[in-house]
């Protein structure tokens, strides 16, 4: 019998985050974990989920809820409905010229209304009222207004994901996103960790940018969403992980 394949921590980064540096955010039901719903939509299944895990996932999210399953490549149960599937890519730092940026400012809870407004205009991906708590977020202001930002999301041991990279349409073409990516990467490197990120496999513009900066394709992945069955969840609530 062959030995089981050793999995890399980035193969299931949401699970590695919620059982590692982000464990203080984790809500658990059985072997399924999630972030609080105002922090991130990500839920984390075990590497090889069983029937009980899918039942716990449905109960955790709620009956007939649409659930994001980033990176999941297996088969969903027959009573689940796959509602979205986007092929993605995962890039890792392979020689970034990371550096601080004099114009970048640290963003915090007081900046969340502006951050949500910028996200609404640019659609970089999920960003919720408490997402800013996941890590360092940096922004660039012009005339006092927030016009570009980037920050940290998933945090597997030894790694940090760069996410929410966005620039107001009126200020694109000035290299603000590049500067913020390198500035966020600098902070990650200063902690002795390695930056990584995800994007759609069809986003060729972003892929060219990341490769030019020094990111290397590590793996192809998928952004999957599935709808839970209509049966009601039982009365066991999600609880924070001790």
């Amino acid at each position: 019998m062959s030995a089981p394949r050793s999995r890399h921590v980035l193969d299931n980064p949401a699970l590695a985050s919620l059982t590692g540096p982000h464990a203080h955010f984790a809500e658990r039901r059985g072997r399924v974990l999630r972030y609080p719903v105002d922090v991130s939509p990500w839920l984390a299944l075990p590497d090889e989920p069983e029937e009980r895990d899918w039942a716990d996932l449905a109960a955790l999210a709620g009956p007939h809820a649409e659930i994001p399953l980033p990176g999941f490549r297996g088969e969903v149960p027959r009573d689940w409905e796959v509602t979205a599937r986007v092929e993605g890519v995962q890039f890792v730092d392979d020689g970034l010229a990371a550096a601080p940026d004099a114009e970048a400012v640290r963003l915090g809870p007081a900046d969340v209304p502006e951050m949500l407004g910028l996200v609404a205009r640019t659609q970089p991906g999920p960003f919720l009222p408490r997402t800013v708590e996941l890590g360092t977020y940096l922004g660039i202001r012009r005339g006092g207004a927030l016009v570009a930002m980037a920050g940290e999301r998933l945090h597997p041991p030894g790694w940090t994901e760069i996410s929410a990279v966005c620039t107001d349409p009126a200020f694109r073409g000035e290299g603000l996103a590049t500067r913020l990516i390198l500035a966020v990467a600098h902070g990650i490197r200063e902690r002795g960790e390695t930056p990584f990120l995800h994007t759609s496999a069809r986003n060729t513009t972003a892929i060219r940018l990341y490769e030019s900066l020094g990111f290397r394709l590590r793996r192809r992945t998928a952004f999957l969403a599935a709808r839970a069955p209509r049966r009601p969840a039982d009365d066991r609530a999600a609880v924070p992980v001790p």
Side-chain angles (χ1 to χ4, degrees):
M1 180 181 296
S2 60
R5 182 175 68 89
S6 177
R7 291 182 64 87
H8 192 282
V9 69
L10 294 187
D11 290 347
N12 193 344
L15 181 63
S17 298
L18 287 167
T19 55
H22 280 174
H24 59 289
F25 287 111
E27 297 175 351
R28 178 191 296 272
R29 184 185 174 91
R31 299 197 301 164
V32 178
L33 298 111
R34 74 173 180 191
Y35 286 93
V37 295
D38 56 352
V39 173
S40 172
W42 301 141
L43 294 96
L45 282 164
D47 290 336
E48 297 181 2
E50 301 172 354
E51 182 179 356
R52 176 71 257 177
D53 301 318
W54 287 102
D56 285 338
L57 177 63
L60 190 61
H64 210 52
E66 187 175 32
I67 302 168
L69 300 171
F72 181 71
R73 283 287 192 181
E75 296 293 326
V76 303
R78 296 178 65 181
D79 54 350
W80 287 64
E81 174 193 0
V82 176
T83 56
R85 183 183 183 88
V86 177
E87 293 302 313
V89 286
Q90 183 184 80
F91 282 89
V92 296
D93 176 6
D94 191 31
L96 289 172
D101 190 286
E103 195 178 5
V105 296
R106 178 77 178 261
L107 302 174
D111 302 296
V112 166
E114 275 192 286
M115 298 169 80
L116 291 171
L118 180 60
V119 165
R121 296 194 301 275
T122 57
Q123 300 296 314
F127 188 91
L128 301 168
R130 291 179 56 207
T131 301
V132 70
E133 298 176 20
L134 292 177
T136 299
Y137 279 81
L138 300 178
I140 291 178
R141 294 183 177 277
R142 294 288 167 81
L146 182 66
V147 299
M149 75 173 188
E152 301 173 357
R153 187 169 62 181
L154 296 178
H155 195 173
W159 301 79
T160 300
E161 181 190 26
I162 298 177
S163 183
V165 180
C166 54
T167 303
D168 187 285
F171 293 87
R172 289 175 182 166
E174 300 182 19
L176 302 184
T178 294
R179 290 165 51 189
L180 287 171
I181 289 170
L182 296 177
V184 173
H186 174 76
I188 295 169
R189 289 252 198 92
E190 287 290 289
R191 298 197 300 264
E193 298 176 342
T194 304
F196 75 105
L197 50 78
H198 295 94
T199 192
S200 165
R202 294 186 176 183
N203 193 346
T204 55
T205 299
I207 290 172
R208 283 195 298 268
L209 171 63
Y210 299 147
E211 290 178 334
S212 71
L213 295 179
F215 282 99
R216 170 180 56 82
L217 176 66
R218 178 185 171 266
R219 72 189 292 249
R220 297 189 178 275
T221 182
F223 305 116
L224 182 73
R227 192 173 300 281
R230 288 185 177 274
R231 60 175 177 262
D234 64 35
D235 59 0
R236 288 187 297 148
V239 297
V241 177

